[in-house]
């Protein structure tokens, strides 16, 4: 994730399409964007085409998470750094919860699964701020947290709620998965 973020910064990554909209919305959270108003909804959902009316993803939590790095680092690299931080925090969380649940062997197995997922996605996806892919590693963390909670580890509940909220608000596709888990 870190290597992909450094590469994106060196190669002059520029947000286009949904990534550009997400970048603008993240800047708006702290009033730095052209609208100056903090967004109260998530991105427009392409499901709208099928339904015949406009709908949005449930919430703006991803914008809020990306707001500080986007404000602190000039240009489009701030949103790349923010996305990389979300994914790095997810990987570290997966490792920590798996270690807590089953020790070093379980933690290494969880990291092997995480590494396979990261490899299959490709490095550019790990730092591209897109509502569909940015929450893949957080969703894996959510699943590990749910497993730990199911084993009776109540200390995981606040993190489960926070990560589940991020995933659910960012992409409508998780509206069934997150509450179901």
């Amino acid at each position: 994730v870190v290597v992909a973020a450094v590469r994106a910064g060196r190669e002059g990554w520029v947000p286009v399409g949904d990534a550009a909209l997400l970048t603008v919305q993240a800047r708006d959270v702290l009033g730095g964007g052209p609208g100056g108003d903090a967004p109260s909804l998530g991105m427009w959902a392409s499901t709208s085409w099928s339904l015949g009316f406009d709908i949005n993803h449930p919430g703006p939590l991803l914008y809020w998470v990306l707001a500080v790095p986007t404000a602190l680092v000039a240009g489009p690299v701030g949103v790349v750094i923010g996305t990389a931080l979300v994914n790095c925090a997810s990987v570290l969380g997966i490792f920590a919860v798996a270690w807590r649940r089953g020790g070093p062997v379980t933690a290494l197995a969880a990291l092997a699964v995480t590494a396979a997922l990261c490899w299959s996605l490709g490095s550019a996806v790990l730092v591209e701020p897109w509502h569909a892919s940015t929450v893949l590693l957080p969703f894996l963390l959510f699943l590990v947290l749910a497993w730990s909670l199911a084993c009776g580890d109540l200390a995981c509940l606040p993190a489960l709620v926070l990560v589940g909220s991020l995933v659910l608000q960012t992409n409508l596709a998780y509206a069934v998965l997150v509450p179901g888990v």
Side-chain angles (χ1 to χ4, degrees):
V1 175
V2 173
V3 170
V6 169
R7 185 178 333 138
R10 279 191 187 156
E11 293 176 359
W13 179 85
V14 175
V16 294
D18 285 347
L21 291 172
L22 203 145
T23 301
V24 168
Q25 294 285 53
R27 288 176 198 250
D28 283 350
V29 168
L30 299 176
D37 295 327
S40 57
L41 287 174
M43 290 185 72
W44 176 84
S46 60
T47 309
S48 301
W49 291 329
S50 302
L51 296 174
F53 57 90
D54 287 338
I55 62 169
N56 289 62
H57 293 285
L61 191 53
L62 181 61
Y63 304 143
W64 299 348
V65 168
L66 299 177
V68 172
T70 302
L72 290 176
V73 180
V77 177
V79 77
V80 168
I81 292 170
T83 304
L85 288 172
V86 166
N87 284 324
C88 285
S90 296
V91 171
L92 291 173
I94 290 164
F95 177 77
V97 174
W99 185 288
R100 180 180 172 100
R101 195 71 271 126
V105 173
T106 304
L108 288 175
L111 283 184
V113 169
T114 305
L117 176 62
C118 290
W119 180 80
S120 68
L121 292 172
S123 62
V125 172
L126 298 174
V127 295
E128 176 82 19
W130 184 46
H131 66 280
S133 61
T134 300
V135 292
L136 290 172
L137 289 176
F139 184 65
L140 183 56
L141 172 59
F142 174 78
L143 293 174
V144 173
L145 286 163
W147 165 51
S148 190
L149 183 65
C151 290
D153 190 356
L154 292 177
C156 290
L157 183 59
L160 178 84
V161 170
L162 177 65
V163 174
S165 295
L166 173 67
V167 171
L168 179 64
Q169 286 189 34
T170 301
N171 196 313
L172 193 58
Y174 292 96
V176 173
L177 294 173
V178 169
V181 170

